[in-house]
Amino acid sequence: MSETERDPSTRTAPVKITDVAAAAGVAPMTVSRVINTPDRVSPETTARVREAIARLGYVPNLIAGGLSSRKSRMVAAIVPTIAHPMFAGLVQSFSDAMRVAGYQVMLSISGYEDTDDESLFRALLGRRPDALMITGSGYSPAALQMLIEARIPVVEVWDVSSRPIDMAIGFDHAQVGAEVAAFLLAKGHDRFAVLTARDSRALSRARGFTEAVAAAGKPIVWEKITPSPSTAAAGREGLRALLPALDQRCALLCSSDLMAFGVVTEARVQGVMIPEHLAVVGFGNLELSAANEPAITTVSPEGAGTGRSAAGFLLRRLSGEGPRETDRVVVPFRIMERATA
């Protein structure tokens, strides 16, 4: 999608059923039948109407007539998982803040694999939420256009988008990786390894890390990518695979604290000395990282703070305030140096 297409200033009025009917050359009732009872419409007409729906980004109102006002007092939130504590904390703080303001949160789990994001957004927007929080920005152009056409407040979290749909609060994940590399280089490490989950944010941190290591003229002696989400079990398996490369001292970046916890646990089983022989850095600053023995060095993002900030952004816009220059926020992070590095 072009920059212009994602520019909120180019939005028009929400697409209506009459717009679809005009584009397809049929009556509005025919469009309604295609949506609700397609078996009553010829295949040729159905195809023409669906093409117009897709081209215009029309989202049928699945609750039309069910509300006495245009406000549903409901917002939607999309996260890849709630199995990971980072996203669970994000959702909890966001939901708490919205509930205090009188809004209920409808939660959708998108997962990490390639999915039909157009169907996901169509299903959510069809319930006519008043606003939307989405995790990340790696959605298809058609799905993003659907959000633009919905003309509701949208806040993107967890990633830093160069061209947000509306508002954005996130991390520069590549910069996280680069700063971890600088931290480990400053401690005298000259051999490095990466254990990362396959999701785009984890891979971005890994890329920032490996590029910074390469720029310093140091080698990446081992790298492994595992399915998302990252787990402690993947960390244990990763450490076993890393063992042949541990003939010399090494520093390992893990894409999450859960994975780092698994690495540290398996290192104890295998007799690998941490941090003397293997330094380990995670991401997330989970409670287990500080409580573990040894305590795990990690990157601390403001996960719960992001949820509260996202709610604040949406509530401000829902109160009638217009866009601000501060609607794009890069969340700070810091490296928590503990016993594993």
Side-chain angles (χ1 to χ4, degrees):
M1 177 174 295
S2 70
E3 297 290 273
T4 300
E5 286 176 301
R6 292 199 64 185
D7 188 344
S9 66
T10 67
R11 297 183 188 182
T12 59
V15 178
K16 301 184 290 293
I17 195 169
T18 51
D19 299 322
V20 175
V26 299
M29 180 58 71
T30 302
V31 177
S32 178
R33 286 174 179 159
V34 168
I35 294 168
N36 298 301
T37 55
D39 56 303
R40 298 176 60 188
V41 186
S42 71
E44 296 78 9
T45 300
T46 296
R48 195 164 69 250
V49 169
R50 286 180 174 166
E51 187 278 331
I53 288 173
R55 175 160 45 85
L56 297 177
Y58 174 65
V59 180
N61 187 348
L62 301 182
I63 57 171
L67 299 174
S68 58
S69 74
R70 295 192 63 181
K71 296 296 183 182
S72 66
R73 306 297 294 181
M74 178 185 70
V75 297
I78 302 174
V79 294
T81 180
I82 55 171
H84 198 291
M86 283 192 297
F87 290 112
L90 170 71
V91 169
Q92 186 67 60
S93 61
F94 176 75
S95 299
D96 289 345
M98 296 304 301
R99 189 178 303 112
V100 168
Y103 288 85
Q104 295 300 318
V105 175
M106 176 173 60
L107 178 63
S108 180
I109 308 300
S110 62
Y112 288 98
E113 301 301 324
D114 291 335
T115 57
D116 186 353
D117 51 6
E118 292 179 57
S119 294
L120 172 63
F121 286 164
R122 186 171 289 109
L124 288 177
L125 293 173
R127 270 73 185 176
R128 290 302 190 265
D130 292 337
L132 187 65
M133 180 185 78
I134 62 176
T135 306
S137 55
Y139 298 99
S140 71
L144 293 173
Q145 186 64 27
M146 198 178 296
L147 295 183
I148 293 172
E149 296 292 349
R151 296 197 66 188
I152 60 173
V154 176
V155 60
E156 299 168 52
V157 300
W158 220 252
D159 287 353
V160 174
S161 175
S162 61
R163 190 72 169 180
I165 297 167
D166 189 2
M167 300 170 283
I169 307 171
F171 309 97
D172 185 335
H173 291 272
Q175 184 63 31
V176 170
E179 292 202 16
V180 171
F183 165 77
L184 292 169
L185 286 162
K187 295 181 75 67
H189 290 279
D190 56 14
R191 298 175 77 251
F192 299 86
V194 176
L195 179 59
T196 179
R198 194 177 296 278
D199 71 90
S200 61
R201 290 168 286 276
L203 291 174
S204 181
R205 293 193 293 274
R207 184 176 64 255
F209 181 81
T210 57
E211 288 177 355
V213 167
K218 305 298 183 180
I220 299 290
V221 299
W222 182 87
E223 186 171 4
K224 182 177 177 63
I225 299 174
T226 70
S228 296
S230 58
T231 63
R236 296 194 67 169
E237 181 182 344
L239 189 280
R240 290 193 293 270
L242 174 60
L243 285 174
L246 292 181
D247 54 329
Q248 299 178 51
R249 185 170 179 246
C250 188
L252 174 68
L253 170 69
C254 294
S255 63
S256 78
D257 282 1
L258 285 176
M259 196 171 275
F261 173 76
V263 167
V264 172
T265 300
E266 188 63 24
R268 186 163 52 245
V269 173
Q270 299 292 339
V272 176
M273 299 297 292
I274 292 181
E276 294 83 1
H277 202 83
L278 177 66
V280 179
V281 179
F283 176 83
N285 194 28
L286 304 184
E287 182 181 3
L288 66 81
S289 304
N292 189 62
E293 181 55 45
I296 297 170
T297 299
T298 185
V299 177
S300 177
E302 295 296 325
T306 298
R308 287 190 295 272
S309 297
F313 273 33
L314 293 181
L315 290 170
R316 177 172 55 77
R317 190 64 62 77
L318 288 167
S319 72
E321 291 190 31
R324 295 180 180 177
E325 291 184 1
T326 55
D327 282 347
R328 181 175 180 267
V329 175
V330 179
V331 177
F333 60 87
R334 59 192 175 113
I335 296 173
M336 308 290 292
E337 183 174 0
R338 297 184 179 129
T340 61

